[in-house]
Amino acid sequence: MKQRLLFLGPPGAGKGTQAQLLAESQGLLHLSTGDLLRAEVQVGSELGRQAEAVMARGELVSDELVLAIVRSRLQQCSGGWLLDGFPRNLSQAEALDALLLELGQPIELVVLMELDDALLIQRLLSRGRSDDNEGVIRHRLTVYREQTTPLISHYRDLGLLQAVEAAGTVEEIAARITTLTKA
Ligand code: ADP
């Protein structure tokens, strides 16, 4: 079973749901930068204040902010982990590569969750989070296409990428991912 995983895919593909399930069943630390940022907004920290407006627009929070969050969590983590929502652009991916080299904890598998735009938008609209209105969703998909999709070839070139069809029931998709983690 792979111990250090990264989930990649557009907003609405179900990364959070699948990451949480897998992390629980395998005893991995689930690191979702989106969840961590929302928690900072909730408690009204300085970091949360900086992130709030950016997230509401569907833009990316600064690389420095998210990298600081990820670094502190990974430094404290002695077991396996699962990163969800990070990295989101090439400079974050390069910073992560450097951090993991420094920590001696290389990524073992990158799971790419793939789903059609129509289904993504449908799922996000039914979720109803504050940044899930149609205009912001379309913008998040554009940001994903422009900034995050270059990571697909980055990790494919490293021989780490496996794609999963993200349509179907939660259980069906979970089974597909579990198979990959055991390969
Ligand atoms: P989704 O998977 O639906 O895109 P997330 O919960 O992962 O939602 O992220 C919500 C928002 O949090 C993003 O639109 C962005 O503003 C911010 N965010 C999360 N992760 C990052 C990151 N790695 N870099 C920059 N911003 C991020």
Side-chain angles (χ1 to χ4, degrees):
M1 164 71 205
K2 305 272 196 288
Q3 294 294 305
R4 291 182 298 276
L5 308 166
L6 201 152
F7 275 26
L8 202 61
K15 297 184 299 292
T17 303
Q18 294 297 333
Q20 193 174 344
L21 278 176
L22 186 67
E24 259 168 38
S25 74
Q26 303 299 326
L28 307 173
L29 171 72
H30 175 201
L31 261 180
S32 157
T33 44
D35 286 351
L36 293 169
L37 289 168
R38 278 185 291 277
E40 296 289 337
V41 171
Q42 201 80 44
V43 300
S45 68
E46 177 53 34
L47 197 160
R49 271 195 294 274
Q50 289 179 41
E52 189 168 17
V54 181
M55 292 171 76
R57 288 197 302 271
E59 305 278 341
L60 296 186
V61 173
S62 81
D63 294 348
E64 291 71 29
L65 268 185
V66 287
L67 189 69
I69 295 182
V70 171
R71 168 180 280 275
S72 77
R73 304 280 163 149
L74 286 184
Q75 272 169 341
Q76 290 163 24
C77 177
S78 52
W81 41 257
L82 199 169
L83 286 174
D84 150 26
F86 176 91
R88 252 178 159 87
N89 59 32
L90 263 182
S91 86
Q92 291 181 6
E94 282 160 7
L96 178 65
D97 290 345
L99 173 63
L100 295 178
L101 194 67
E102 175 193 324
L103 298 176
Q105 299 187 24
I107 297 170
E108 294 177 313
L109 174 67
V110 176
V111 176
L112 171 66
M113 296 185 62
E114 296 182 308
L115 196 67
D116 290 345
D117 275 13
L119 269 175
L120 293 174
I121 292 171
Q122 196 181 315
R123 282 191 189 175
L124 289 165
L125 283 174
S126 66
R127 185 167 73 175
R129 211 170 65 194
S130 64
D131 58 345
D132 284 341
N133 64 70
E134 189 149 1
V136 176
I137 288 172
R138 288 196 185 280
H139 189 56
R140 297 213 321 266
L141 286 173
T142 305
V143 170
Y144 173 76
R145 238 172 260 122
E146 291 177 354
Q147 303 199 40
T148 311
T149 53
L151 302 194
I152 296 173
S153 46
H154 177 78
Y155 290 115
R156 187 182 289 127
D157 291 348
L158 293 170
L160 295 171
L161 193 85
Q162 296 283 349
V164 160
E165 167 69 59
T169 66
V170 169
E171 293 74 21
E172 282 162 355
I173 301 159
R176 289 175 202 147
I177 294 173
T178 301
T179 305
L180 292 179
T181 67
K182 289 178 176 159

